[in-house]
Amino acid sequence: MTTTYKSLALRGIGAGAIAGVASALVQLLVTEIPIRAALAVEEAREPAGEGHSHGGEEELVSRGAQVVGGMLGVIIVGIAVGLVFATAYALSKRWFVDRTPFSRSFTFGAAVFGAVALLPWIKYPANPPAVGDPETVNYRTALYLGVVVAGLVVVWGASWLAEQLKAQSQPIRVTAVLLAVVAAVAVVLVAFPAPPDTIPADMPVTVLWQFRLSSLAQLATLYVGLGVVFGLLIDPAARKTKVSEKTAIA
């Protein structure tokens, strides 16, 4: 064992904070643009004189405060995800032992992105404000979380299959795992029902897809960025420990 769990956890928290800040910046500089455009559409639906009051009630929190609060929330989520990421990495170090720590971390981050962001996005792409019936929010949330759980199961199954096929040549192992993943993803996409909400006619298509793509980019920054930063933090530590172990043995 090249590093302790405490060391991995601290690096996970640090990597999560860095990835969270980067994701928050994407939210501010990219995602916020279609959000404001969608809010303008929503405001245009309000009766004259009510503005953005949602039924005549005063807006309790300004848009600026919402943006700052949202960015802080993304950073906090990044820190929490970083700790979970480090824990999962520590538990899964027996897989892909022939790779460097950075390569394992990057692959792990990409796999998590695929499971908890890309797969749900394909089935239930994110919608901006002014889209979605408030009455179906719980149902939509349950569907989304269901796809996330299914995606994590697919990642775990792919890792397990790769471990079982480690005696095979790399082309056979990679092909088998890819085919299994494609088949599992197809089952998930077919098994889950279609999104329950329709897109309002007054929502511009450009705003809709700008929000969807920017939301996906924000998640990619968080999860893939976490894998990259964590890998950069853990790889030098692993090499340093290995050198120390060799010196001690000599």
Side-chain angles (χ1 to χ4, degrees):
M1 184 168 146
T2 56
T3 51
T4 64
Y5 171 72
K6 180 180 179 180
S7 175
L8 288 175
L10 290 175
R11 285 165 172 77
I13 291 173
I18 294 172
V21 170
S23 182
L25 289 175
V26 173
Q27 175 178 308
L28 175 65
L29 301 176
V30 182
T31 312
E32 181 64 17
I33 297 174
I35 287 179
R36 291 187 179 275
L39 289 175
V41 173
E42 186 178 41
E43 187 174 357
R45 296 175 186 167
E46 299 288 345
E50 289 188 5
H52 194 55
S53 59
H54 298 285
E57 297 179 0
E58 292 293 333
E59 190 176 60
L60 298 179
V61 182
S62 67
R63 183 60 197 154
Q66 292 175 11
V67 172
V68 173
M71 293 178 65
L72 290 176
V74 170
I75 296 172
I76 293 173
V77 168
I79 293 173
V81 170
L83 180 58
V84 175
F85 185 93
T87 302
Y89 178 90
L91 295 174
S92 64
K93 285 198 299 182
R94 62 188 181 86
W95 294 329
F96 308 110
V97 293
D98 55 329
R99 294 189 178 186
T100 64
F102 176 82
S103 177
R104 290 203 304 271
S105 177
F106 175 78
T107 302
F108 193 27
V112 172
F113 165 71
V116 306
L118 182 59
L119 179 58
W121 184 88
I122 293 174
K123 185 63 182 180
Y124 303 117
N127 289 321
V131 176
D133 184 356
E135 297 295 327
T136 64
V137 63
N138 292 332
Y139 178 58
R140 285 183 280 128
T141 301
L143 290 177
Y144 186 89
L145 292 178
V147 176
V148 169
V149 172
L152 291 174
V153 171
V154 171
V155 170
W156 178 86
S159 300
W160 177 85
L161 180 60
E163 177 71 12
Q164 299 304 308
L165 298 176
K166 62 182 180 180
Q168 303 295 327
S169 64
Q170 184 173 3
I172 293 177
R173 182 173 55 182
V174 171
T175 301
V177 171
L178 286 178
L179 290 176
V181 169
V182 170
V185 168
V187 170
V188 172
L189 295 178
V190 172
F192 279 80
D197 293 329
T198 58
I199 306 301
D202 60 350
M203 175 57 62
V205 176
T206 53
V207 173
L208 177 68
W209 280 101
Q210 186 180 9
F211 177 82
R212 288 177 171 179
L213 293 174
S214 61
S215 298
L216 185 64
Q218 185 177 336
L219 291 173
T221 302
L222 177 62
Y223 292 110
V224 180
L226 174 59
V228 171
V229 176
F230 183 77
L232 292 174
L233 292 177
I234 193 62
D235 218 350
R239 288 198 300 268
K240 181 178 179 180
T241 305
K242 287 180 180 179
V243 171
S244 300
E245 290 175 352
K246 291 180 180 179
T247 305
I249 293 175

